[in-house]
Amino acid sequence: MASTAILKHMDIDRQQLQQIVRDVANATIMPLFNNVSRQYKKDGSIVTTADKAMQHNLKQRLAEICPDVALLGEEMPPEEQQALMDSGQPLWCVDPIDGTSNFAAGLPFFSVSVALIEKGKVTTAMVLDPVRDESFTAVLGHGAWLNDKPMIAENMGLELKRSIAFIDFKRLPNALGKQLISDRPYGSQRNQGSIALELCWLAAGRGHLYLHGGQHIWDYAAADLIVSEAGAYACTLEGNAVFSNSLEQRSSCAAIDRTLFDEWRNYLNIPE
């Protein structure tokens, strides 16, 4: 499994993509870490000048190399996002800062997420943790890497009740949230505040279970491929594949190995 696997659409390798995203992040967002004003969008989420600058600068850098691939970013009007999704053309799907609330508050857990979508599938993915300088990447059918070391999800040999779960309670159905509190099936629970990075940490064995009730495509597109290519498991709460080539929000239930995944699905009553 070569660490320089070629992206399917253009003549740019995975390591080149890593360098572009790292360079833009280090120049654009890291100087503003915990030193930036915030605004609130209509949905109540936070956006900063760093989010907008990162998306703009990354769009320019990627266009220099791949002029025929458009960029769909979180920080653009919904009508533009929908038009790009409807176009059927290859797209970079970008969350310039996944975990903006953490970034603005000085909490060192946020990421940059970049996914290449071609013909309705994610073919290449990258999630960068600029604080730790950790790059999680995957190429469809070729595997996943943490920096340049192949990343393979291991069977942890854990019972469900001993596992660590990454769970975002605020987006779960109320009944399920209450069930998880009153009948806790795992050992302990975390919510770090960056969907993409939590999923990558799961794939790297830093957590064992994951649950989220409503992710946007720019939140999960890259990380979902990384989870799959690393050999971990994921599905929606309805039992479907997590990735959908649309702007609809998607739930996600994931686990690092098959045994835990089956037990987690059974607890959540997810159909096979």
Side-chain angles (χ1 to χ4, degrees):
M1 183 181 303
S3 65
T4 56
I6 301 297
L7 311 195
K8 293 181 180 295
H9 182 73
M10 72 293 294
D11 188 19
I12 169 179
D13 66 37
R14 180 185 60 84
Q15 291 175 323
Q16 188 177 7
L17 177 63
Q18 282 187 115
Q19 195 59 55
I20 288 171
V21 178
R22 274 192 170 118
D23 288 347
V24 177
N26 288 335
T28 305
I29 63 177
M30 289 310 291
L32 296 175
F33 177 36
N34 196 29
N35 185 32
V36 67
S37 61
R38 69 185 73 183
Q39 297 174 316
Y40 290 88
K41 295 186 276 188
K42 291 182 179 179
D43 64 0
S45 60
I46 291 174
V47 63
T48 71
T49 55
D51 295 80
K52 296 175 181 178
M54 182 67 191
Q55 181 169 296
H56 173 78
N57 294 342
L58 191 56
K59 180 178 181 179
Q60 287 192 321
R61 285 294 305 276
L62 290 173
E64 291 172 3
I65 299 170
C66 314
D68 57 338
V69 180
L71 185 143
L72 183 152
E74 178 181 10
E75 308 308 332
M76 64 170 48
E79 58 271 19
E80 289 186 29
Q81 294 171 342
Q82 190 61 60
L84 285 168
M85 293 299 297
D86 292 342
S87 71
Q89 68 185 111
L91 297 173
W92 293 111
C93 182
V94 171
D95 191 338
I97 304 179
D98 181 38
T100 301
S101 297
N102 286 350
F103 173 81
L107 294 172
F109 197 89
F110 53 90
S111 61
V112 180
S113 177
V114 180
L116 178 61
I117 301 176
E118 300 179 274
K119 297 181 179 179
K121 295 182 179 180
V122 178
T123 58
T124 300
M126 176 180 177
V127 175
L128 174 69
D129 177 349
V131 174
R132 297 169 185 79
D133 193 29
E134 288 188 333
S135 173
F136 302 86
T137 55
V139 177
L140 183 62
H142 290 271
W145 298 263
L146 170 49
N147 291 333
D148 289 320
K149 182 178 179 181
M151 186 168 63
I152 301 173
E154 298 181 5
N155 189 318
M156 305 301 290
L158 286 175
E159 297 178 61
L160 189 66
K161 65 182 180 181
R162 304 295 182 196
S163 61
I164 295 173
F166 296 131
I167 298 179
D168 185 322
F169 274 93
K170 68 182 179 181
R171 294 179 178 88
L172 294 178
N174 288 338
L176 178 55
K178 291 176 181 177
Q179 176 185 332
L180 288 165
I181 293 170
S182 62
D183 180 25
R184 176 169 55 89
Y186 38 72
S188 59
Q189 176 265 333
R190 311 281 189 272
N191 180 211
Q192 311 283 35
S194 169
I195 290 169
L197 203 48
E198 285 185 341
L199 284 166
C200 289
W201 275 31
L202 174 94
R206 299 171 184 176
H208 313 114
L209 308 175
Y210 177 84
L211 185 62
H212 198 290
Q215 311 165 123
H216 292 285
I217 191 169
W218 45 80
D219 296 322
Y220 75 83
D224 184 60
L225 181 64
I226 291 166
V227 165
S228 175
E229 288 293 325
Y233 298 85
C235 68
T236 67
L237 285 169
E238 295 73 36
N240 302 317
V242 174
F243 182 76
S244 172
N245 190 37
S246 72
L247 293 177
E248 69 175 13
Q249 292 188 39
R250 305 287 285 181
S251 59
S252 179
C253 153
I256 192 171
D257 62 53
R258 185 78 221 190
T259 300
L260 282 175
F261 185 60
D262 289 343
E263 292 182 28
W264 191 213
R265 282 184 63 145
N266 184 61
Y267 171 87
L268 296 169
N269 197 29
I270 296 174
E272 291 288 344

